Amino acid sequence: MSLRFHEIAEGGHRILNPFTHDKLALLGEVARLRPGTHLLDLCCGKAEMLCQWSLGHGIKGVGVDISDVFLDAARARAEELGVADRVRLEKGDAGAYRAQAGAFDVVSCLGATWIGGGLEGTVKLMLPALKDDGILLVGEPYWSSEPPVGAYESLGFGPDDFTSLAGTFDRFEAAGVEVLEMVLADQDSWDRYMASQWWTLSDWLRDNPEDPDAGGVRDFLERSRRSHVEYGRRYLGWGVFVARRR
């Protein structure tokens, strides 16, 4: 899916992953944040995590994303919550971003491990910016049960893109890190992320019938509805895994 389709579909979202605000708050507690914690968030989207944790835990951080649309929303959110002085937002390719070595207590990448060619590559990409005693937060899909062959095409994933929950732990181990904790999405989290996009997309199509991308957006909406109710809710899990160097 093109970046523009993401920007349209998630126009009404603050969290650009299948996490509710309650799950995001729980993750902040699980991560043992404290005032002054320095966080680097790769593919930060609208930076709701950075902004909420800066407000609630007193952290500071840097968010990197390629989308001007998402970054504009992130800057507005930081101003709204009064944390703009503690949150810096940068436009760029998160996969090519080079932070100062060992500068961050936490490095996160939620739902975008494609930046490193998969989970293992993304973990290795994240580690140089992390302090020796720091933690990684990695958001990653997994198969909650073995999907039928049709699920791959419908959901747009290859058979090797993701694995089972246990297999996901194996991939972390292969990347040289230990999983300490996890917060998993549930079906309601997925519904709130996916189903709420359908209304947004439908409204956009009504308002923009002559847009050159209208046909593509319509196709995406139809695929999104069908793939979620037929396969996604049953077979696809998602979680954020807390890890550190072994």
Side-chain angles (χ1 to χ4, degrees), residues 5-238:
F5 286 8
H6 274 289
E7 292 169 344
I8 295 168
E10 297 174 323
H13 288 52
R14 282 184 171 162
I15 302 171
L16 308 189
N17 282 304
F19 253 18
T20 62
H21 282 278
D22 287 345
K23 293 279 188 182
L24 190 64
L26 175 59
L27 180 62
E29 295 173 9
V30 164
R32 303 183 183 184
L33 303 173
R34 59 188 185 278
T37 293
H38 201 193
L39 188 154
L40 171 63
D41 190 16
L42 299 174
C43 294
C44 67
K46 296 182 182 179
E48 185 70 8
M49 183 175 75
L50 270 174
C51 292
Q52 287 288 355
W53 288 359
S54 183
L55 178 67
H57 297 278
I59 74 163
K60 56 184 178 179
V62 177
V64 182
D65 203 273
I66 201 169
S67 169
D68 285 318
V69 171
F70 292 159
L71 289 173
D72 286 346
R75 293 185 182 102
R77 186 62 165 158
E79 291 287 348
E80 177 186 359
L81 296 181
V83 297
D85 60 329
R86 297 199 297 271
V87 173
R88 188 172 85 247
L89 299 160
E90 300 185 15
K91 182 181 180 180
D93 177 355
Y97 186 80
R98 296 296 176 262
Q100 179 182 347
F104 293 90
D105 303 292
V106 182
V107 179
S108 60
C109 179
L110 306 191
T113 57
W114 46 265
I115 67 172
L119 191 151
E120 293 177 46
T122 300
V123 166
K124 292 176 182 179
L125 182 153
M126 297 166 74
L127 283 172
L130 191 67
K131 293 181 179 178
D132 288 342
D133 59 349
I135 60 169
L136 302 178
L137 303 177
V138 184
E140 179 78 345
Y142 62 90
W143 297 114
S144 52
S145 60
E146 186 173 353
V149 173
Y152 299 116
E153 181 179 358
S154 180
L155 293 166
F157 301 131
D160 297 325
D161 287 348
F162 309 117
T163 182
S164 66
L165 184 57
T168 301
F169 274 64
D170 292 339
R171 290 184 176 186
F172 277 108
E173 183 176 354
V177 296
E178 173 189 13
V179 176
L180 303 173
E181 252 278 22
M182 65 183 185
V183 177
L184 302 183
D186 53 28
Q187 283 191 337
D188 182 62
S189 305
W190 269 113
D191 287 344
R192 299 283 43 81
Y193 176 60
M194 294 298 299
S196 59
Q197 293 182 29
W198 305 336
W199 198 329
T200 300
L201 289 162
S202 180
D203 280 350
W204 185 91
L205 286 166
R206 286 190 174 195
D207 293 339
N208 301 275
E210 304 303 323
D211 190 283
D213 284 334
V217 171
R218 186 173 293 105
D219 289 344
F220 168 69
L221 170 57
E222 292 170 0
R223 290 196 309 271
S224 173
R225 280 193 290 234
R226 174 59 62 179
S227 66
H228 180 63
V229 299
E230 190 169 13
Y231 297 112
R233 295 186 88 251
R234 180 173 180 182
Y235 297 105
L236 193 60
W238 193 86

